[in-house]
Amino acid sequence: MSKFGRELIDSLKQAVKHAEGRKVAGMRVTVVEAPDVKAIRRSLRMSQQRFAASYRIPLATIKNWEQKRRMPDAPAAAYLRAIARKPKEVAEAVAG
Amino acid sequence: MSKFGRELIDSLKQAVKHAEGRKVAGMRVTVVEAPDVKAIRRSLRMSQQRFAASYRIPLATIKNWEQKRRMPDAPAAAYLRAIARKPKEVAEAVAG
DNA sequence: CCGAATGTACGCCATTGGCGCCCAATTGTC
DNA sequence: GACAATTGGGCGCCAATGGCGTACATTCGG
């Protein structure tokens, strides 16, 4: 069996799974749209540095999110949602 | 130069950097101890499923954290901290 | 003019997120 | 007691993210 042959078969298997309505492992389909980190931060009138410190997120990670180089994963997206809606409460909760 | 030789040299370079107090790229040193997800969840008297749903974290991720198979990354740790201290406020914030 | 602060951009790589699957333990419900 | 449902532990797999470094552009106050 050639390498090409194996790859072709794998592709077909995935296609079949798709057709069956099953999910293909390793294929992530983003359902919810990405939270706009920059908008959230700006609405709080904070620099990236202060925002990062206030919510205990590494500065580099904030930068990645704002530049759309990385998408916040599910827990991070939830966290950002919480921050966007109750900035003060969350900041207090993580402080100290 | 053999493969083993190169690897040995790289290891020595890292050791030198360590000795110099510099940080070695790619080597993560966890500073804060891992949050005890199970304890947090239990104190809220929720099943893994409800906890996951309430805070919008995939069930599999909760399992990984509780079984210590994965460590929550920095944003996740901050989120858990917020949850631990202001469970109701955070739950309300992420709901809807 | 220059240094500090802020933010954009990108490389690198170990670790995590996220998914599926299976199985044991616990908790109902008849 | 028997049976089904819920809960949670354990593990393999893979792409994507987290985290850190470095360099460069822009803004701003002295």
Side-chain angles (χ1 to χ4, degrees):
Chain A
M1 171 79 67
S2 69
K3 180 165 184 288
F4 175 73
R6 285 193 302 276
E7 289 175 354
L8 183 57
I9 288 174
D10 283 346
S11 293
L12 285 173
K13 284 182 180 173
Q14 288 205 351
V16 169
K17 287 184 181 178
H18 242 154
E20 288 174 348
R22 284 197 285 164
K23 294 186 180 176
V24 177
M27 167 168 260
R28 276 192 223 187
V29 178
T30 303
V31 177
V32 292
E33 58 185 289
D36 190 345
V37 182
K38 194 184 294 188
I40 295 172
R41 176 177 62 81
R42 288 225 168 111
S43 75
L44 299 176
R45 296 163 204 285
M46 294 193 196
S47 69
Q48 290 180 334
Q49 202 159 45
R50 283 213 317 148
F51 186 81
S54 293
Y55 296 103
R56 300 205 170 196
I57 300 168
L59 179 57
T61 298
I62 299 292
K63 291 182 176 185
N64 279 332
W65 289 345
E66 294 203 1
Q67 294 173 220
K68 310 284 184 190
R69 200 165 77 124
R70 299 277 190 275
M71 296 283 291
D73 52 39
Y79 187 32
L80 288 169
R81 199 179 161 87
I83 292 172
R85 306 209 174 166
K86 307 212 176 198
K88 303 190 89 169
E89 288 85 340
V90 175
E92 286 172 18
V94 299
Chain B
M1 172 77 67
S2 69
K3 180 163 183 290
F4 175 72
R6 285 193 302 276
E7 289 174 353
L8 184 57
I9 289 175
D10 283 344
S11 292
L12 286 172
K13 283 182 180 172
Q14 287 204 352
V16 169
K17 287 185 181 177
H18 239 155
E20 289 174 346
R22 285 196 285 163
K23 293 185 178 178
V24 178
M27 165 167 263
R28 278 194 224 184
V29 178
T30 304
V31 177
V32 292
E33 57 184 292
D36 190 343
V37 182
K38 193 183 294 187
I40 295 172
R41 176 176 61 81
R42 289 225 167 113
S43 75
L44 299 176
R45 294 158 210 285
M46 293 199 234
S47 69
Q48 290 180 336
Q49 203 158 47
R50 283 215 316 146
F51 186 80
S54 293
Y55 296 103
R56 301 205 168 197
I57 300 168
L59 178 57
T61 298
I62 300 292
K63 287 185 174 184
N64 279 332
W65 290 344
E66 294 202 0
Q67 292 174 219
K68 311 284 184 191
R69 207 179 103 164
R70 300 277 190 275
M71 295 282 290
D73 52 40
Y79 187 33
L80 288 169
R81 199 179 162 86
I83 292 171
R85 306 210 173 165
K86 307 211 177 207
K88 302 190 89 168
E89 288 85 340
V90 175
E92 286 173 17
V94 299

